[in-house]
Amino acid sequence: MKLNNSQAGAKKRVHLQPSVLFMFVMKQYRCIHSAICICTKRHLSEDAIFLVFQHLNWNPRLIAAISCVCKWFDDIAKRVLWKEFCRTRAPKMMLDLQSSGSHSVYGNWKALAKLLTYCSGCSKRGLFNSTYIPSHFVHQTRFSRTSGKSFLIPQCRTDVLYVSDPCEHLDQGEDRDVGFFRGVFKSFSVSKVRKMLIDRGAKLHPMEVCPYCKAKMWSMLQAKMVPKSAGSRLGSYDDCIEYYVCLNGHLLGMCTLLPLSDSEETSEVE
């Protein structure tokens, strides 16, 4: 039977309904190859790259290397590979950080992956105004939510903060033994720490930025928000602890460690 023009148009419209097309069109991401990119043709699919790095156990050095190939690979690394690296290396921590309903993390997954594996050290004129101590990657670090409570003043202890064990740099001359620690807040934008920093008129550091996400940083010491329990947790002198929190909730700190003999034991204070 021959259809008139109106009937034919109606038939076409039926075939173009979004509910029908949705079953056949997979989600696609905008390709961000540059004009001079050498891999604009016949590059691997995202699924193939995912399986390769899953087999490699999300090796961070290889993820960093593939990020340097071009913008397209860098985008995949930021959006997929670093996320899976974090979930594999600290599954319970990542699950908790996202339990508020967020599908991402503050400062992006790449920044969080760097925080998990990288001690930033310090420069002579940097955040801590100390002697130069080079940055380095760490093989393994334990982050603790329980330890994080010790770094919060009593008014803010309902906040969730994960803090690492100190990375020890021994025999630093007059500065003695030095420890660096790092951490991350859950839902920092609605935390009591952030609100108190703003209410107290705390100033952001005029020059230095977070080594993990490049955001501006507040000094917790200047804001008078460093509790004595932090020294007990770190095994440090109470007056030799300083730490900063960036706008994305990453924490970066340094302390002077107490000397311990072989017969001495450290104690933990909750």
Side-chain angles (χ1 to χ4, degrees), residues 98-140:
Q98 291 187 283
S99 63
S100 59
S102 172
H103 294 287
S104 185
V105 292
Y106 294 103
N108 71 54
W109 289 104
K110 182 179 179 180
L112 186 55
K114 187 176 181 181
L115 185 140
L116 291 177
T117 59
Y118 184 73
C119 172
S120 64
C122 67
S123 59
K124 291 183 178 180
R125 297 182 180 179
L127 287 173
F128 305 109
N129 195 27
S130 182
T131 57
Y132 171 70
I133 300 177
S135 59
H136 62 96
F137 286 96
V138 292
H139 178 68
Q140 188 175 7

Side-chain angles (χ1 to χ4, degrees), residues 24-242:
F24 302 98
V25 179
M26 295 179 63
K27 184 177 181 180
Q28 296 183 0
Y29 293 93
R30 178 173 62 89
C31 183
I32 56 173
H33 285 285
S34 63
I36 60 173
C37 181
I38 62 174
C39 57
T40 53
K41 296 180 181 179
R42 299 179 181 177
H43 57 269
L44 294 173
S45 68
E46 289 192 18
D47 291 339
I49 294 173
F50 182 94
L51 292 173
V52 168
F53 277 90
Q54 185 180 53
H55 180 72
L56 296 171
N57 194 28
W58 313 107
N59 186 301
R61 295 183 182 274
L62 296 179
I63 296 176
I66 199 174
S67 300
C68 299
V69 174
C70 74
K71 291 182 179 180
W72 188 76
F73 281 105
D74 184 49
D75 175 67
I76 294 174
K78 289 178 179 177
R79 180 165 41 81
V80 179
L81 303 183
W82 287 123
K83 179 179 180 180
E84 295 303 323
F85 168 81
C86 292
R87 286 181 168 181
T88 301
R89 296 303 171 92
K92 292 182 179 179
M93 177 177 165
M94 295 305 116
L95 187 63
D96 187 27
L97 290 177
Q98 291 187 283
S99 63
S100 59
S102 172
H103 294 287
S104 185
V105 292
Y106 294 103
N108 71 54
W109 289 104
K110 182 179 179 180
L112 186 55
K114 187 176 181 181
L115 185 140
L116 291 177
T117 59
Y118 184 73
C119 172
S120 64
C122 67
S123 59
K124 291 183 178 180
R125 297 182 180 179
L127 287 173
F128 305 109
N129 195 27
S130 182
T131 57
Y132 171 70
I133 300 177
S135 59
H136 62 96
F137 286 96
V138 292
H139 178 68
Q140 188 175 7
T141 304
R142 184 183 71 95
F143 283 79
S144 170
R145 174 172 172 165
T146 302
S147 296
K149 297 292 184 184
S150 301
F151 294 82
L152 302 173
I153 59 177
Q155 304 94 303
C156 299
R157 287 194 176 159
T158 55
D159 288 347
V160 175
L161 170 64
Y162 284 86
V163 174
S164 72
D165 292 332
C167 178
E168 297 184 2
H169 295 257
L170 306 180
D171 194 17
Q172 297 300 316
E174 293 182 0
D175 291 333
R176 294 170 287 187
D177 297 341
V178 172
F180 291 99
F181 53 96
R182 54 201 190 278
V184 58
F185 279 86
K186 175 183 177 180
S187 304
F188 183 66
S189 63
V190 294
S191 67
K192 290 185 177 180
V193 165
R194 181 179 181 275
K195 184 179 185 301
M196 185 169 289
L197 285 166
I198 294 173
D199 290 344
R200 292 188 176 188
K203 303 295 183 182
L204 294 167
H205 197 284
M207 297 178 61
E208 299 295 326
V209 296
C210 175
Y212 304 109
C213 68
K214 307 304 180 184
K216 290 286 188 178
M217 307 191 79
W218 280 295
S219 170
M220 297 289 279
L221 182 62
Q222 289 182 1
K224 299 181 179 179
M225 295 175 63
V226 177
K228 291 185 177 181
S229 55
S232 299
R233 173 62 66 175
L234 292 166
S236 171
Y237 295 98
D238 290 340
D239 59 347
C240 295
I241 303 173
E242 186 174 6

